[in-house]
Each structure stands twice: as structure tokens, then as C-alpha cells.
Amino acid sequence: MEHVRTNFMRVIVPMALLAAVMTLGLLFVSRPIASPQMAMEGHVEARAASVDMTHDAVSPQLHTSGIMSSGGAAGAELSVSTGATTAKSTSTEGSSATSATVTVTANDDMICEVREYRSPDPRRRVIDVPVATLWTKPGLARPMDAPTTGEQPNVRSWIESMRIPEKLWLVGKLETQALLGSEVMLLEEREEWSRVQLPDQPTSRWKDGYIGWLSSEQLATPFYDYSACPVASVVKRSVVLTEVPVAKQPSSSTGSSSSSSSSSNSNSNSNSNSNSNLSDLPTGLEISFNTRLPVVREQGGRLQLALPDGSTRWVQRDEVVLLTSKLEPASATVELEERRNKLMETAKQFVGLPYVWSGTSGFGFDCSGFTYSMYRALGISIPRDAKDQATSGQPVDLKRLEPGDLLFFAYENGKGRVHHVGMYIGNGQMIHSPRSERPLEIISIKQPEYAKELAGARRFLTES
């Protein structure tokens, strides 16, 4: 019996030791380390997988997500890309990037490198909501202004809900608005409010751009550098982004008239109906005209954009244009004519849009917010306010006006302070966002109300 026990131990003990060694070995086998980029990729893929794949959806295959470090080509001009696009890695002035890079490859022809980003300036922030409304002081918002505050503002419903007296109350209480992805500088924090400066909205009031207060929840800290990625700019009044690439929706039966005499109702309804199906999706995010976001992927007729909240969303390719450093016309004369035509086409789509004090979005403009935004869409930076626009650009003889020239109106029969601006569109007409009582419209410059206050004109489109 003792002999059997001894033989048994000789077999069992070595086997137990071997099993223990194998177990310990498994514990020390190297594993891939999940980077922040991989973690966010998994987060986005999980969220996309939970969405019902309807509307001829394509498998998402999301490759990256993150927060942009800058607005991209802020001074660039708009150009529709017609060929293959390859973005090369470039350095970002004033930024600090780690050596780790993530290559984003597309099914079609877009590639860009995303770098982890640590700004040397701790004040740097990015607008994290579709439209942020900046106030002159913290805490001024009325209960009815709640759609402009918090982390999920809805500027469209806010504007549509206000009557004329409620709109007039905003005068002097709002500063301006900033769009999703815009870079700002944090100046001060006070409870749930933050005071920020907007470098891309020049003004004589402050040296480095407009300043105002917004909800702190509407800001994000940039973690990734997308300077090597193409930048998409929204060209329609608004578009709806989705978490998964969905098929293009059929056009609304009401259509969209290109005529300058289109009524405000037909324009409004066309824009609203075109987005209604998509915005009903649980993952739909409506963003404004002129919003600029980096492109990380192209799939068929859709582009995947990186958002400041650490996610990615999809947009139809024909709803945006890509920004490049310059236009590529055959000659300066052709360039000027093409840019002028593009400016007129862009401006006229907003006929019928509500006026809102401080507005710079496709949901509502004030007079100078409209002209500022039209030129920004063309890649031309002009001052944010009418009084500053009136002293910029080149002075123009009122008898030699060209489409795109800005017209300025002043108190005291044109001799006093500038208080309004419109854009000349040819044939003795101008397009402008007049005031709270009237939507954006096209009128004759000889209309008595304006003719008597016409103070001068400035040109920002030139051949040079």
C-alpha cells in the first residue's frame, strides 16, 4: 500500500507543479495596452451597434474619435474637392503633441493622422454644443431662454418660441454666438458660467476677439490634434449628423426655390422638412451652417466627422464643402467671378430666416452676424460688427457697386453712427437681416426707409 502511495505522489506532484507554472505564465503574458484613442473607438462602436440600422445604413466600422485641437483652416477658403484627398501630417503652431499617432484610413480615399494633444495653454477650450449663446453677464437668461443654456441647447426652438417683445428684450443682453468646434480662450469661471474670448470674431471692442459669458457645460478641453485631417464646413442652413452613416433622405415635396423672391414660409418649411426624418432618430444632432469639423473618414457619399465630445458623427457629402488653403481657379478674374457667385448663392438661401439679436447661426442672424457669416463661409475674415465692417475693406463709390459689396446705414440721414449693414446683390437690390419684426429679406436699396440713411459701401471681394 505504501508502495502505491509513493508511486501516486510521484505522478501527481509533478503534474500539479506543471499546472501551477503554466498558470503563472499566463498571468505574465504581455497584453496590448488600450490607448485613449482605442478606448474611445470602442465607446463609439458600442453606441453605433446599439442603433437600429435603418434607412439603408452602412456598417459603421468607426476608426477613431476625439476632440479637435483647433478649428482647422480658419483662414482657408471653400473649395469642393473633386479628386482623391490625402491629408499629410503637419505641425500645429503653439501646440504640444505626443509621439503617438493614430492613422485613420478610409474605404475610399481619405487618410489622416490623429495625435494626442496637450495644449501648452490651459485656457484653451472648444465649443461643445451646436450653437453657444454668449451673454453680457452671467445669470441673465430668463426661464424662456433655457434652450440656450446647459449641455443640450436647442437654439432653433428658442428662436421659434419667442414673440417680438421677447426678442427685443435680448438687445444689449447678448453678445454673439459661437458654433460647434469653435476654439475659445477661457478667461474666467463663476459658478456654472464661464467667460470666454472668440479669436475668430474680430472686434474693436476687444483686442483678441469677442468676449462673453456662456454655460460652462458648453465647453470641452481639446485632447486630440486633427490638424492633419481635412476640415468640412456646413453649407446648408443646418444639417443633421447621425451616429451611423444613413442613406440620403428623399427631397421634401415642398422643394426649395432658388428664386430671390421665395417666401419666408417656403424657405423655412423646406429647410425644416429636409431634416425632419433624420432629426427624429435618437442619435440625430442638428448643427448650423458654417460649422467646421475635421473629417476622419469617407464612405461612399458620406463623411465621418470628429466632434468635441469625444464621438464621431456622419454627414452627407453634399451638405458640406472641404476647406483648402486656397482656391484653384484658372485665373484671378475667373476666381473673383466664381467667388462672387458662390457668395450670392450662399446668402440667398437664408431668405425668410428669423432675425435674432447676436445671431451668427443658420437658425437666426442679426444684420452684421449675417454679413460676417457669409464672408466667413467664403474664407474671408471680416469684423463681427457693422460699425467695424464700415471701416474695413475698400471704400466703394455708390455708383459702382458690385454684388457682394456691403452697404452701411447710419442715423441722422447717413451722417451719424452706423447701425445697420446689408449686402448688395445687383440690380439695385440688397439682402439683409433687418430687425426682430422682419425676417431676412431682399429689398430695393431705393426703399425710402433705407435710402435716406445709406452712408457708404465697402468691398471685401477683390482680384488681389
Side-chain angles (χ1 to χ4, degrees):
M1 190 69 179
E2 183 65 30
H3 174 71
V4 174
R5 183 181 297 110
T6 300
N7 288 339
F8 176 80
M9 294 300 293
R10 286 176 179 174
V11 174
I12 294 300
V13 171
M15 292 180 63
L17 289 173
L18 179 61
V21 170
M22 293 177 64
T23 301
L24 289 173
L26 289 174
L27 293 176
F28 289 97
V29 172
S30 61
R31 295 181 175 88
I33 299 174
S35 66
Q37 190 77 21
M38 293 167 62
M40 283 193 294
E41 177 185 349
H43 168 68
V44 176
E45 287 181 339
R47 293 205 307 178
S50 67
V51 180
D52 184 24
M53 303 289 282
T54 57
H55 304 287
D56 191 28
V58 181
S59 177
Q61 297 178 344
L62 308 185
H63 276 231
T64 187
S65 62
I67 299 176
M68 62 287 298
S69 66
S70 68
E77 296 172 347
L78 295 182
S79 174
V80 178
S81 174
T82 57
T85 302
T86 300
K88 297 180 180 179
S89 179
T90 57
S91 62
T92 303
E93 183 179 354
S95 71
S96 173
T98 69
S99 59
T101 62
V102 178
T103 300
V104 182
T105 57
N107 282 355
D108 297 330
D109 58 9
M110 285 190 179
I111 298 173
C112 70
E113 286 186 336
V114 180
R115 293 179 177 270
E116 292 185 10
Y117 176 84
R118 295 296 180 269
S119 173
D121 192 335
R123 302 175 303 161
R124 212 166 193 175
R125 298 290 187 275
V126 180
I127 298 297
D128 195 26
V129 293
V131 182
T133 301
L134 277 64
W135 298 77
T136 58
K137 297 178 182 179
L140 287 180
R142 304 162 293 182
M144 71 175 310
D145 300 318
T148 69
T149 62
E151 61 181 350
Q152 293 183 323
N154 189 329
V155 171
R156 176 191 289 280
S157 66
W158 173 63
I159 294 175
E160 292 177 350
S161 70
M162 285 189 291
R163 297 170 297 178
I164 300 303
E166 294 162 341
K167 286 186 176 182
L168 292 173
W169 180 89
L170 298 171
V171 176
K173 297 179 178 66
L174 297 183
E175 292 286 9
T176 188
Q177 290 179 325
L179 305 181
L180 179 69
S182 298
E183 194 170 278
V184 303
M185 301 299 288
L186 178 62
L187 304 180
E188 181 183 351
E189 293 178 294
R190 189 181 303 176
E191 296 179 350
E192 70 271 20
W193 291 85
S194 293
R195 188 169 181 252
V196 298
Q197 187 156 36
L198 281 57
D200 62 0
Q201 294 194 22
T203 174
S204 61
R205 296 173 59 192
W206 294 285
K207 178 183 177 182
D208 297 316
Y210 246 90
I211 292 177
W213 292 86
L214 48 65
S215 295
S216 299
E217 295 174 299
Q218 299 179 354
L219 297 174
T221 301
F223 291 134
Y224 289 90
D225 175 15
Y226 289 96
S227 60
C229 299
V231 176
S233 180
V234 176
V235 295
K236 298 182 180 295
R237 283 193 185 187
S238 68
V239 300
V240 174
L241 307 183
T242 57
E243 279 195 355
V244 294
V246 298
K248 184 175 178 62
Q249 299 299 296
S251 300
S252 167
S253 59
T254 59
S256 178
S257 174
S258 59
S259 169
S260 62
S261 62
S262 297
S263 70
S264 62
N265 286 337
S266 67
N267 277 276
S268 271
N269 290 340
S270 173
N271 182 68
S272 177
N273 290 342
S274 65
N275 287 333
S276 60
N277 292 336
L278 288 176
S279 59
D280 288 340
L281 292 174
T283 55
L285 177 69
E286 187 176 23
I287 64 174
S288 166
F289 165 78
N290 247 358
T291 298
R292 297 178 175 186
L293 296 170
V295 180
V296 296
R297 184 179 179 84
E298 182 174 12
Q299 192 175 85
R302 309 168 186 91
L303 300 177
Q304 186 186 35
L305 310 180
L307 271 62
D309 67 355
S311 67
T312 56
R313 299 280 180 125
W314 291 83
V315 67
Q316 298 295 329
R317 176 64 182 84
D318 61 1
E319 295 177 330
V320 300
V321 294
L322 298 183
L323 299 182
T324 60
S325 58
K326 59 182 179 180
L327 292 174
E328 300 173 356
S331 68
T333 302
V334 173
E335 173 184 329
L336 179 61
E337 190 64 24
E338 287 182 353
R339 295 170 78 187
R340 184 176 287 135
N341 291 340
K342 184 63 178 177
L343 181 62
M344 295 299 97
E345 177 187 346
T346 300
K348 289 178 181 179
Q349 72 171 309
F350 293 101
V351 170
L353 191 74
Y355 175 99
V356 60
W357 176 267
S358 85
T360 62
S361 81
F363 305 115
F365 294 111
D366 63 15
C367 68
S368 59
F370 173 65
T371 51
Y372 160 82
S373 298
M374 295 306 103
Y375 271 98
R376 178 170 171 77
L378 204 62
I380 299 175
S381 177
I382 69 174
R384 166 65 177 83
D385 296 329
K387 65 182 180 65
D388 295 328
Q389 293 173 7
T391 59
S392 303
Q394 298 180 358
V396 180
D397 189 321
L398 291 175
K399 295 180 181 180
R400 298 181 179 275
L401 294 173
E402 294 286 349
D405 291 344
L406 298 189
L407 304 175
F408 299 94
F409 304 87
Y411 295 117
E412 301 175 14
N413 293 323
K415 305 297 183 182
R417 178 174 62 86
V418 170
H419 66 85
H420 186 61
V421 59
M423 180 184 293
Y424 187 70
I425 62 171
N427 298 319
Q429 294 183 311
M430 73 170 181
I431 185 170
H432 71 146
S433 188
R435 54 178 180 266
S436 298
E437 294 87 349
R438 297 211 311 263
L440 201 144
E441 63 184 2
I442 293 175
I443 64 169
S444 169
I445 63 173
K446 294 183 179 180
Q447 187 169 311
E449 176 185 0
Y450 294 96
K452 67 180 182 180
E453 292 191 335
L454 183 56
R458 291 277 169 162
R459 181 165 297 162
F460 296 90
L461 273 179
T462 61
E463 293 184 5
S464 57

